[in-house]
Amino acid sequence: MQRLKWIFLWIFVGGSFVFARENSTQNTNNKDDSSRFEISKQLDIFNALVKELEIFYVDTIDMQAAVRRGIDAMLSRLDPYTEYIPEDEMEDLKLITTGEYGGIGAVIRYRDGATIIYDPYEGMPAALAGLKPGDKILSVDDTDATKLSSDRVSEMLKGLPNTELKLKIQRPGEKKPRTFEIMRKQIIMDQVTYYGVKDDSIGYIYLQGFTDKSAEEIKNAFEDLRKNHAITSLILDLRDNGGGVLEGAVQTVGYFVPKGTEVISLKGKADQPERIYRTYNEPVDSLIPLAVLINGGSASASEIVSGALQDMDRAVLVGQRSFGKGLVQSPRDLPYGGKLKVTISKYYIPSGRCIQQLDYTHRNPDGSVAAIPDSLTSVFYTTKGRPVRDGGGIRPDVEVEEEKLPTMLYYLDNDRDFVVFDYVNDWVTKHQTIPSPDLFAYSDEDYEDFKKIAVEKKFEYDRQSEKMLGTLKEVANFEGFLAEDSTVFATLEDKLKPDLERDLDRYKPEIKRLVASEIVKRYYYLRGQIQYSLRNDKTLEKAMEVLKDRELYAKTLSPAEE
């Protein structure tokens, strides 16, 4: 499945930790005293420096912003997941961990000096009230919103459930504004965004992230598939799943393995005890054939689920190697309502391996971080004795080559210039209904219309090959090679010269799928878009092939014969 999107990679341990400390030797006490003195010393220096700047610096300093930059700079040298979250950003943390907030349920974006409705969620107040993608927000509760940032508009749209707001919008193509009275509600972001049946007997569940309620969503979907559709095997799709709450991952594994099975162990500093997580409920089904789909966007909690099931020989993993995040974060309370999301440990799945890809403790001189090469990884063994490796993520049992997408498609999907967005808005106004996601067909004639609009708007996309050629040409000229023969570069420059119409034809199949998926989303929301994306999905097809061939399934989960 090809889904282009930004990925937020994270994993949380809920609650707080209390670690027992063994009796220390005198040397350890001396070391601790020295460390505490050094910390106190540096804090005194920083405090004095801030005061001196505030009093004597020639210009006015925004101390809140300056200190925040200092905090961010300090944490940036650790790892990408350790971060400071001030009180005014706590709602974002709550949304990440619970998938809930109070509001109208819509994605908004800033465009041409105003905020627009970009993506109303299915079944939520914005969609139920009739708001459409492209609606420009003029005012919220009589407050002019046209000169406000999208962040400020977002704050105004959010609020306590069951409180009403008045929204005035300008719809494209209409002269008069519209006014909507909308009741806010508790917005719950479902993590199981689509599930269904493939080939009459194979269940399919797509999970986009792990919150404290996602495991229950998986259970409900699975029980519905088993009870009402008589499935005989199951596919759990964790592709592009950036992770989430650790307990949700453990609970998910627990649905398919015996109670009391060890799923993961956490190891932090040497003076902190190892913490082991085991399944704590009876499984829903410990026998049903299971396949898990992963790719480079599968990280942290999704790697715990896929890696643990692989180590237990409980599921066949299909797809591409996962991201490789073996670090665990925990939120720690700070003064004035803030929190520190801090990396506290590495995690180890049942075979004993840690799949962390990047070593943040040993940085290169330029500050970059190197990946662990495959040659330095170690071999571990699954329950049945199959060899698996640490470092570099989870390697699937059945690898499917990932489709290489052109850079142009990334820019179209990001839609910075709203080329796809505007085209789809116009297309939708001309088509009241469309067939189901399984049957919808986007015609070549319609694609020709899209091409014309893209050309008229002079759609721009970054061409890395052209940039790299320019750099190579500069180096060649500096080293004196260009004077000898410049025809090679001239030929390459001609081939790499941007040609929008040519590239729209060259990548027609890929672009058609992207535009069609956006069209489907307008009628069937995210679940329909995912359903459409599964058509001609090579990874899904391979997983179904393995599940339908029970001999192949058993062989894949057995050690190779010597």
Side-chain angles (χ1 to χ4, degrees), residues 201 264 381 396 412 465 521:
S201 62
I264 183 177
Y381 294 92
L412 278 171
S465 55
K521 188 177 183 181

Side-chain angles (χ1 to χ4, degrees), residues 543-559:
M544 292 167 60
E545 176 187 326
V546 173
L547 289 174
K548 286 187 286 188
D549 186 338
R550 294 305 166 86
E551 185 177 342
L552 175 60
Y553 179 81
K555 182 179 179 181
T556 305
L557 293 176
S558 301

